[in-house]
Amino acid sequence: MTPAVSIVVVAYQSGRHLETCLAALATQGFTDHEIILLDNASADGAPQAAAAAHPLVRFVEAGENLGFAAGVNRAARLARGRWMALINPDAFADPDWLATLMAATQTWPAVKCFSSRQLMADDPSRLDGLGDVMSGAGFPFRGGYTGRDPGPVAPGEVFSACGGAMLVDRDFFLKLGGFDERLFCYCEDVDFGYRMRLIGEPTIVVPAAVVRHVGSTASGGPRSTFAVFHGTRNRLWVYVKNTPPLLLGLTLPLHLLTTALLFLRHADRHEFKAPWRGLMAGLSGLSVALAARREAQATRTVGSWAIARAMTWNPLDLLLRRVVIKR
C-alpha cells in the first residue's frame, strides 16, 4: 500500500547519531509512512549497521558522495509517499513530530511546504532554528539559532524551511526541480524556498513539530573549513540566482557591505582562509549562478514587492539571528 509520507534520511559519516535518529522515527505516532535511508558512501559503517537494526527501512547505497542536495533528489525519485519528510541523521524527532506536520497539511491544504522547530540536542532550552529567514541584504539565516527557545509560538509564514526537518509535497518538490545539485550541500534548502517564493508559494513553520538537532556532524561543525567554504560560495550563488532584477539592483550595495563586515568578523576569529576560498569559488563560478538565474527567473510569476515582503529589512534580525515569523 502506498504510504502517505516518505521520510528521507541522507547519511554521511553520521556515526552513532544515525541509530538515535532512526530509533526516534520508529516511535512516531503517525505510522502511515516509509523510511528511506540513503547513504552517501560513508566509511564508518553506521548506515549498514542501522539498516540491519531496522529491517523495515529502505536502505539505498549511493556508491559515492552525492552531497545532500543530490542525495535527497535521488531518494525523492524512489519515494512513494505524496508527502516527503526530510530529517537529518543527527536530528531526533519527538514522537508526535510527523503527526503534527501532517495535521498542518489539513489546516493549510493549499500549502506545499512546512518547517519544524529545531532545538539544540545538547541544550533543548536553546533553538537550532525556527524557520529560515532571508535578510534584505540577501543573507539567509536560521531564525533564533543558538538563542533561547521562546516556548509556545503560533504557526506562521517563514521565508523557507530548513532541510534538516521539513515536510514537502513530493510531486511539487520534483516538478520544481528538487534541490539544486550544483550547490552540493548548504543553502540548498534556502534556494528551494526562494524558488517557491518566485512562484508565489509560501512556507509555514509549525512550532509544535519538534526535533533535537546536533548539527553539522558530517562536516566537522558549523565553523569547519568545509561548512564555511560551501556556505560562503552557495550564499553568493543563491543571491545571484534568485533575487529579482529590481531587488538585485537595490540590494547589491547592502549585500557587498554585509559581506565585507562578515569577512572582518572571520578575520577577527582567525578563520579567513575558508571564507576567502568560498568567495573566490563563488566569483569564479558566477557563470554557474548566472545560468541558474536564467532558469529561476524564467519561472517567476510574482513581483519584487512580494519577495521583499517575505524578507526582513531590520538589520538587527540578521545581527541577532532573530526568529521572523509573518502572521
Side-chain angles (χ1 to χ4, degrees), residues 48-318:
Q48 290 77 13
H54 299 271
L56 296 181
V57 170
R58 293 175 62 191
F59 183 46
V60 179
E61 295 188 86
E64 59 180 316
N65 187 1
L66 301 175
F68 182 73
V72 169
N73 289 351
R74 179 174 292 188
R77 291 190 291 269
L78 296 172
R80 297 178 296 145
R82 179 202 162 179
W83 293 94
M84 180 172 68
L86 305 182
I87 187 163
N88 279 359
D90 61 349
F92 320 129
D94 279 7
D96 62 351
W97 171 67
L98 191 56
T100 304
L101 287 174
M102 289 303 292
T105 68
Q106 301 300 309
T107 304
W108 293 278
V111 174
K112 297 177 174 63
C113 189
F114 299 86
S115 194
S116 308
R117 183 196 302 257
Q118 297 171 207
L119 303 176
M120 295 285 187
D122 60 350
D123 182 3
S125 70
R126 294 195 174 275
L127 283 173
D128 181 69
L130 193 55
D132 284 351
V133 185
M134 178 63 75
S135 69
F139 274 62
F141 60 95
R142 251 182 282 163
Y145 180 67
T146 75
R148 286 284 176 189
D149 178 24
V153 176
E157 199 171 324
V158 291
F159 188 85
S160 59
C162 175
M166 65 182 277
L167 182 75
V168 63
D169 183 300
R170 187 175 65 88
D171 282 347
F172 173 78
F173 178 82
L174 291 171
K175 286 176 182 176
L176 202 58
F179 287 149
D180 188 337
E181 299 181 10
R182 291 165 289 204
L183 299 174
F184 192 73
C185 62
Y186 289 98
C187 294
E188 69 289 308
D189 47 3
V190 175
D191 171 74
F192 180 79
Y194 210 142
R195 284 184 282 133
M196 287 181 59
R197 288 282 168 192
L198 293 178
I199 60 172
E201 293 287 352
T203 296
I204 296 290
V205 64
V206 186
V210 178
V211 304
R212 288 160 175 78
H213 187 215
V214 176
S216 302
T217 300
S219 61
R223 286 168 57 182
S224 69
T225 297
F226 181 90
V228 172
F229 170 84
H230 283 86
T232 303
R233 183 196 68 176
N234 292 353
R235 181 177 60 236
L236 174 61
W237 283 358
V238 169
Y239 173 71
V240 170
K241 171 183 177 180
N242 294 297
T243 310
L246 177 60
L247 274 181
L248 187 65
L250 291 173
T251 62
L252 183 57
L254 187 57
H255 185 83
L256 295 175
L257 175 61
T258 307
T259 300
L261 292 174
L262 182 60
F263 268 75
L264 287 175
R265 187 177 180 185
H266 282 305
D268 185 58
R269 291 174 171 174
H270 305 288
E271 54 182 26
F272 194 79
K273 187 176 180 180
W276 181 254
R277 286 180 52 242
L279 180 61
M280 291 301 100
L283 292 172
S284 65
L286 270 183
S287 59
V288 175
L290 290 172
R293 177 178 178 80
R294 288 189 288 271
E295 298 167 7
Q297 297 303 315
T299 69
R300 183 164 65 94
T301 60
V302 301
S304 295
W305 175 239
I307 303 299
R309 287 178 58 211
M311 298 175 170
T312 177
W313 296 90
N314 186 340
L316 289 178
D317 288 341
L318 174 59

